[in-house]
Amino acid sequence: ALPTVLHQHMVFDNISIISHKRRFVKMILKKRWNFFQKTIKLEPNYYSAWVCRAIAYCDDKKNSEAIMLLKQAIEIEPEKSNAYVLLANILVDEKRYEEALLLYKTVSQIIPNNPRITTFIANTYALMNDYTQALKHYKKAMKQSPKDNEIKLIYIETLNKYINDKLKGKYEN
């Protein structure tokens, strides 16, 4: 065992290192945020700056600000999918599933036959306990990406939930 004084010194050093790392990360995040803010002032229609600034807000847990910025990015370039997906992900986190579904479906029109987007749609239906739609979209995603075992696993888990819910309802009545 280490002597108490040495152990306390090591703990203090670790806390000090962690504290310095946190300050460094905050400094980097602030610089990043300032960079994107300046970029938007210089070039207000620069889509990527709006999206990156929104990501910085997400990192700071400022979803309402991020939502506003992502909507602006979508207005600037409605044919790009990143802002839609990020916005939909935030809405899912906020349990605003219907709104998120509309955005994911918009993305599926922008980039059709994308198994990730189809899986996002299925996941959102599953969160809404609409297992029929969720399973339908997981099947579609498996057809789009037949070698993706993760989608197959999620499909099986959702099917299991669906069956359990059906059995639970059947035996409770």
Side-chain angles (χ1 to χ4, degrees):
L2 291 171
T4 304
V5 174
L6 180 59
H7 178 72
Q8 287 174 340
H9 181 71
M10 288 174 61
V11 169
F12 178 77
D13 282 349
N14 286 339
I15 291 171
S16 179
I17 290 168
I18 291 169
S19 177
H20 287 295
K21 283 182 181 178
R22 282 189 182 139
R23 275 190 245 130
F24 179 73
V25 167
K26 282 184 179 182
M27 180 186 73
I28 295 296
L29 290 175
K30 186 173 182 169
K31 283 184 178 186
R32 178 180 69 164
W33 191 88
N34 288 336
F35 171 78
F36 294 124
Q37 186 174 5
K38 287 177 185 175
T39 303
I40 289 169
K41 280 184 182 177
L42 292 171
E43 186 59 52
N45 290 326
Y46 188 42
Y47 171 87
S48 295
W50 287 94
V51 172
C52 290
R53 189 168 169 209
I55 291 169
Y57 272 121
C58 286
D59 290 345
D60 287 343
K61 308 287 186 231
K62 295 179 179 178
N63 285 353
S64 59
E65 290 90 343
I67 289 170
M68 180 187 67
L69 293 170
L70 291 167
K71 286 180 178 180
Q72 182 63 37
I74 290 167
E75 277 186 39
I76 292 168
E77 294 202 35
E79 71 282 355
K80 290 193 175 179
S81 62
N82 295 354
Y84 290 102
V85 173
L86 290 169
L87 180 53
N89 290 346
I90 292 170
L91 295 173
V92 166
D93 287 344
E94 293 185 350
K95 297 180 179 9
R96 294 164 59 182
Y97 303 127
E98 295 288 339
E99 295 172 75
L101 264 177
L102 290 174
L103 292 168
Y104 288 137
K105 287 179 179 182
T106 300
V107 174
S108 73
Q109 293 172 354
I110 295 169
I111 45 174
N113 300 316
N114 183 300
R116 287 289 132 217
I117 301 305
T118 306
T119 302
F120 288 156
I121 293 170
N123 291 344
T124 306
Y125 276 121
L127 289 168
M128 297 168 66
N129 296 321
D130 186 343
Y131 296 118
T132 304
Q133 284 297 319
L135 292 168
K136 173 184 158 187
H137 283 85
Y138 287 130
K139 284 181 184 178
K140 183 177 177 182
M142 287 187 294
K143 286 180 184 174
Q144 293 167 337
S145 184
K147 294 182 181 180
D148 190 331
N149 291 326
E150 185 179 336
I151 297 171
K152 292 174 187 173
L153 181 62
I154 296 169
Y155 173 81
I156 292 168
E157 289 171 355
T158 305
L159 183 59
N160 189 35
K161 277 185 180 179
Y162 176 70
I163 292 168
N164 285 334
D165 280 4
K166 285 288 187 184
L167 290 175
K168 189 177 186 181
K170 182 177 180 179
Y171 292 110
E172 284 181 356
N173 293 331

